[in-house]
Amino acid sequence: MLQNSSDVLNKLLCWAKSNGAKIHPDIEFTVTTDKGISAFKKYSKELGASYDYQIEIPTEIIITPESSRGFFHENYPGFSSKVDEAQLRFCNSNSITKLFLSYLKFSDSETNSFYQPYIDSLPIGSVIPDSPLLWCIKDKKLLQGTNLGNSIDLKLIVLIKEWYELVSLLIGNSNLVESNELEFYNEYFLNKGEVSQLCYVALEKFHQKLENISNDNKIEKGKISWLSFEAYLWAHLMMTSRSFPYRVISGKEDNDEGILLPVVDLLNHSVSERVEWKPVVNAANKQLFSFKNDGFDTLADGEELLNNYGLKNNEELLLGYGFIIPGNKYETCALKLKLPAAQITGFASEYPGLKLPTPEDFSNISSNSLAIKENSKFDDGLLYFLSKANPIPEELLQIFCLLVKNDYDETFDDEHNSANDSTPRITTRMKLHAINNLQVAIESKFNALKDNNLTSATTPRAKICSEYLKSQEKIFNGSLKALKSDLKTTIKEVEKGSKILTIKKILNRDIKFQEALIQLFNTDKEEQQEDAEEQEEDIIDRLISPESSIAHDPEESHMLIEQIIVLWLVRCGNKNFYPEYKIPNSDFDSVLPSYIFDLFLWFKIHKFRETEFAQAEIAHFQNLHDAYFPTFAEECPEIFGVGSWKAIDLVIANRILDLIRYTRVGKEDIYLLENSFV
């Protein structure tokens, strides 16, 4: 807690009021033992008095980007002009404000700033937000498996580069003498990789320096250089935990800068509070920032007056404020897709209506560590957030569908004139494969969390991380359940439309093919004397089960199933050679589906010449062909002696199988899908 906190608070309130701030008489700020400075409803003696405000802060005492730039323009004009001219890679719209804040707090200037009462009220020592940015490597391992745990070091490194870029420019364009503050960067980060073991060693050493701002000692003038990284990190934490969006008073919706609001930033957070932030103009035609809590009039005497920082998940709260909310209903889990920027922009170009997330969608205004350039906003891939309310975002599933889109889906698109749609039309095959891949991705994240066992957490940080991990696991578990439910529903819909085939359905429908297999694979003749229904089911099981006399283990059984399906697909490709094909109104289409026959024609006409067949692939199917032919054709000519049964036909059938197959995660069953839109 701040030294002499009550005195610091009183000076702040007096300074704010003397410069035009208005605070409702029924609001009392006080220092508490558990929350530090807080605001409470305290009924005053002015009974019957009416006020149209709660807290109003004049723009003159607000630290804004203009006041920050104005300071450097006046005191370091060379630097100020260079900032405007330079193409800074790591700095962003809040960097100058953070550097200004570092100066106000840590400069050894003998002249007190106009903002001094406010600056003195900003926490230092153990009451600053306990952000993981301040944690040592040992404590950061508590976050292992989480999105924050995977990115925290990189966030810190980017922040270091932001600071170095700005301070180097300042020193190079002013009369400031270069200090040893930059030695750390020059030694450990200059021309080094983004993250390396050397960086981790450097961060551990740097943590020791951070102890200067992690204790309760009063900061003496000049004890910490305002140009140092620890000063800049302190300023960064003040911005993440206390800043408000500048657009509230600027009126510019595209403004992503932050401002610091004295007095208002003392209010604690509750996501259930309904609050209003807006600019107002007083009788003297001066602009003020107005804060109102909609429930103020109903607060009981002594009840706390709260602000609402926004709908923040636990990652944002922990990183920016140093705490989490157990059971946070706005909790989310991040899922990052590391796709090439060119591929993402290709999706955006082909489907203008496809909503793609950009860093601006999720960045906290004050914690944004990188300026977003239009041509590089997808350089880091795509970031989606899963939540209880939205366990599987529709846009996320759409991207996974596009990632598995193949020639079969493209052809289906063309045939149904959907090429000009602004959003992707999803086929059943795309969706089922997308669900598979998304399930694998989420299970990987989920399992990484479970590997981090914090059930016996004892330290405050470990306890926070334990709760954070539980909330993340709950979201991932909900997402997996939603995927499995969607999968079940989709398969039911496909089965209802008879758009899906299994090996059993194939053999049950194509009796001649089944009988040929029985003959060729020489299953036990005695089995053929049993009841017809039992015989049919048993023969199928004997052909495809690991216990059969044909396949002796699960792997061999799976290989046999694939071989049978490939043979059947070639039979479908030869459909027009069978006599049943010429019989009007026959049920031959249900035996040998027309869409597979059409795929064979399409492949031979449009894809065969441009397809590169690997030698290993050709050799494999040549061996398979030689193992079965000409024996199959001789023993069952009505099936295997009709049409073309060359090795290349088996290769083409296998390629078509790849186009139409679907296998569930963790299952061996192969499904053949006739495409349709979901």
Side-chain angles (χ1 to χ4, degrees):
M1 190 174 294
L2 291 167
Q3 299 290 322
N4 304 312
S5 296
S6 296
D7 183 46
V8 169
L9 174 60
N10 290 333
K11 287 180 179 179
L12 168 65
L13 296 176
C14 289
W15 168 76
K17 290 176 181 178
S18 67
N19 283 284
K22 296 167 69 177
I23 302 173
H24 194 289
D26 287 354
I27 297 176
E28 180 181 79
F29 287 91
T30 186
V31 179
T32 66
T33 56
D34 57 340
K35 290 186 177 181
I37 298 174
S38 304
F40 297 91
K41 180 76 171 285
K42 191 72 174 177
Y43 286 102
S44 66
K45 296 180 180 179
E46 301 179 34
L47 298 176
S50 177
Y51 300 90
D52 61 356
Y53 63 87
Q54 291 175 22
I55 301 176
E56 292 182 352
I57 304 298
T59 54
E60 288 82 1
I61 69 171
I62 299 173
I63 296 180
T64 66
E66 279 82 2
S67 58
S68 303
R69 286 192 284 265
F71 167 81
F72 287 105
H73 181 72
E74 181 180 346
N75 294 277
Y76 301 96
F79 164 69
S80 181
S81 61
K82 287 292 182 181
V83 167
D84 294 333
E85 296 171 7
Q87 293 294 316
L88 300 179
R89 181 182 175 194
F90 293 98
C91 292
N92 58 74
S93 55
N94 289 309
S95 300
I96 292 292
T97 304
K98 285 187 268 189
L99 192 61
F100 180 44
L101 203 55
S102 300
Y103 176 87
L104 292 175
K105 189 70 173 179
F106 300 105
S107 168
D108 58 1
S109 172
E110 294 300 323
T111 305
N112 281 339
S113 159
F114 166 73
Y115 299 102
Q116 201 62 50
Y118 174 62
I119 297 300
D120 287 343
S121 74
L122 295 179
I124 197 75
S126 60
V127 292
I128 65 174
D130 190 27
S131 167
L133 288 170
L134 288 168
W135 295 6
C136 64
I137 291 176
K138 179 183 176 182
D139 284 346
K140 277 186 251 184
K141 287 182 178 179
L142 297 169
L143 294 166
Q144 186 175 339
T146 67
N147 181 65
L148 184 55
N150 295 334
S151 63
I152 189 65
D153 284 328
L154 188 57
K155 290 179 186 293
L156 188 53
I157 289 169
V158 169
L159 190 60
I160 289 171
K161 290 184 176 182
E162 175 189 328
W163 156 79
Y164 178 82
E165 189 173 56
L166 203 59
V167 171
S168 297
L169 191 65
L170 174 60
I171 292 174
N173 293 277
S174 68
N175 58 1
L176 289 170
V177 178
E178 183 166 356
S179 68
N180 60 5
E181 299 301 337
L182 301 182
E183 289 181 3
F184 166 76
Y185 182 94
N186 291 328
E187 181 178 356
Y188 292 104
F189 286 92
L190 195 61
N191 299 322
K192 302 291 192 304
E194 286 296 316
V195 180
S196 66
Q197 189 58 40
L198 190 60
C199 289
Y200 289 127
V201 173
L203 291 173
E204 187 69 70
K205 289 185 177 181
F206 213 78
H207 177 72
Q208 296 170 9
K209 297 186 66 163
L210 296 179
E211 291 179 356
N212 289 327
I213 62 168
S214 296
N215 56 57
D216 290 327
N217 296 327
K218 182 175 174 60
I219 298 300
E220 299 174 4
K221 289 281 187 180
K223 183 176 180 181
I224 295 177
S225 168
W226 70 278
L227 297 173
S228 68
F229 178 70
E230 55 264 51
Y232 194 79
L233 178 55
W234 172 86
H236 175 80
L237 293 173
M238 292 304 101
M239 290 293 287
T240 59
S241 62
R242 307 177 82 88
S243 71
F244 289 71
Y246 188 26
R247 61 175 174 265
V248 173
I249 59 174
S250 72
K252 299 177 181 178
E253 286 300 320
D254 60 346
N255 193 318
D256 65 347
E257 297 171 305
I259 58 175
L260 289 172
L261 282 164
V263 182
V264 177
D265 64 3
L266 297 175
L267 300 175
N268 292 316
H269 165 69
S270 172
V271 75
S272 62
E273 297 298 307
R274 293 180 61 85
V275 299
E276 179 185 53
W277 306 339
K278 68 177 182 180
V280 296
V281 177
N282 64 12
N285 204 31
K286 286 190 175 183
Q287 190 182 57
L288 303 96
F289 173 93
S290 169
F291 167 86
K292 285 185 177 180
N293 183 311
D294 289 356
F296 179 72
D297 291 338
T298 63
L299 290 178
D301 188 31
E303 191 172 350
E304 186 173 6
L305 174 65
L306 296 165
N307 193 1
N308 187 335
Y309 301 166
L311 309 181
K312 297 185 181 296
N313 61 31
N314 280 336
E315 180 178 328
E316 290 179 278
L317 292 173
L318 184 55
L319 186 63
Y321 303 86
F323 68 86
I324 69 164
I325 299 175
N328 186 351
K329 66 178 180 178
Y330 300 105
E331 178 65 319
T332 62
C333 289
L335 192 65
K336 189 172 188 178
L337 307 184
K338 295 181 180 179
L339 304 177
Q343 185 178 20
I344 300 171
T345 53
F347 289 154
S349 176
E350 186 174 358
Y351 304 105
L354 177 65
K355 179 170 171 45
L356 295 172
T358 62
E360 298 99 317
D361 295 329
F362 307 114
S363 296
N364 181 318
I365 287 173
S366 53
S367 63
N368 187 14
S369 297
L370 281 173
I372 307 300
K373 307 292 193 298
E374 182 64 27
N375 61 354
S376 64
K377 61 183 178 181
F378 297 127
D379 283 353
D380 216 24
L382 294 174
L383 186 64
Y384 291 90
F385 286 90
L386 317 178
S387 66
K388 182 179 180 181
N390 192 9
I392 302 294
E394 182 182 355
E395 299 83 3
L396 172 62
L397 190 57
Q398 284 180 328
I399 287 293
F400 268 80
C401 286
L402 290 177
L403 291 173
V404 298
K405 190 173 186 178
N406 65 21
D407 290 335
Y408 182 32
D409 303 304
E410 292 283 2
T411 305
F412 194 71
D413 259 1
D414 295 341
E415 289 175 354
H416 291 80
N417 300 315
S418 58
N420 296 322
D421 288 350
S422 63
T423 55
R425 295 188 70 182
I426 308 302
T427 66
T428 51
R429 194 208 67 82
M430 289 166 64
K431 183 174 182 180
L432 289 172
H433 278 275
I435 290 175
N436 262 15
N437 294 344
L438 190 48
Q439 181 181 335
V440 170
I442 293 175
E443 282 178 346
S444 175
K445 299 274 287 184
F446 186 53
N447 291 333
L449 288 178
K450 291 195 292 185
D451 289 342
N452 191 352
N453 187 358
L454 294 178
T455 53
S456 58
T458 54
T459 67
R461 285 177 177 173
K463 289 177 180 178
I464 285 177
C465 291
S466 178
E467 288 295 331
Y468 174 47
L469 261 66
K470 287 177 186 175
S471 67
Q472 296 273 289
E473 287 179 3
K474 195 170 183 180
I475 296 296
F476 282 135
N477 195 40
S479 296
L480 289 172
K481 286 182 178 178
L483 275 178
K484 290 173 182 176
S485 175
D486 196 4
L487 176 63
K488 188 176 180 180
T489 300
T490 304
I491 289 179
K492 276 187 176 180
E493 288 297 318
V494 176
E495 287 176 334
K496 191 186 298 181
S498 300
K499 300 286 188 179
I500 194 166
L501 287 173
T502 63
I503 184 65
K504 287 192 175 185
K505 282 186 178 180
I506 289 170
L507 297 179
N508 278 330
R509 290 182 182 182
D510 195 347
I511 301 300
K512 288 187 177 181
F513 184 67
Q514 177 197 136
E515 290 173 346
L517 293 178
I518 293 169
Q519 179 179 339
L520 292 167
F521 288 114
N522 194 29
T523 57
D524 192 340
K525 304 297 181 182
E526 292 181 5
E527 296 291 338
Q528 299 178 38
Q529 306 303 316
E530 298 179 4
D531 177 81
E533 290 186 9
E534 293 181 5
Q535 172 195 7
E536 182 181 78
E537 192 68 27
D538 186 60
I539 289 170
I540 293 171
D541 288 338
R542 287 176 62 77
L543 281 170
I544 66 176
S545 71
E547 293 78 20
S548 74
S549 57
I550 307 164
H552 300 93
D553 57 60
E555 185 177 351
E556 193 173 338
S557 173
H558 186 70
M559 288 176 58
L560 177 62
I561 291 171
E562 291 211 10
Q563 290 175 12
I564 291 173
I565 291 174
V566 166
L567 290 171
W568 182 76
L569 290 174
V570 174
R571 171 163 155 78
C572 291
N574 289 322
K575 177 178 179 178
N576 59 325
F577 290 101
Y578 293 106
E580 296 93 331
Y581 180 74
K582 299 176 183 179
I583 300 174
N585 303 319
S586 70
D587 198 29
F588 202 42
D589 276 352
S590 67
V591 178
L592 302 181
S594 294
Y595 80 93
I596 298 177
F597 173 71
D598 293 340
L599 273 174
F600 260 88
L601 291 179
W602 164 80
F603 192 95
K604 289 178 178 179
I605 296 171
H606 299 288
K607 301 296 293 181
F608 186 79
R609 290 183 182 277
E610 64 186 62
T611 302
E612 294 184 7
F613 297 102
Q615 287 299 318
E617 181 182 13
I618 294 173
H620 171 76
F621 285 101
Q622 184 65 56
N623 291 336
L624 182 64
H625 176 271
D626 294 346
Y628 290 156
F629 292 89
T631 306
F632 279 21
E634 292 170 353
E635 295 194 15
C636 298
E638 70 280 6
I639 299 293
F640 300 104
V642 176
S644 178
W645 289 88
K646 298 175 183 178
I648 194 62
D649 294 305
L650 300 179
V651 174
I652 294 172
N654 188 62
R655 288 298 182 100
I656 289 174
L657 175 58
D658 288 340
L659 291 176
I660 65 175
R661 75 184 296 164
Y662 166 69
T663 304
R664 293 179 66 171
V665 174
K667 306 287 185 181
E668 295 293 337
D669 296 341
I670 297 174
Y671 297 88
L672 305 187
L673 299 169
E674 179 182 358
N675 246 346
S676 60
F677 289 120
V678 295

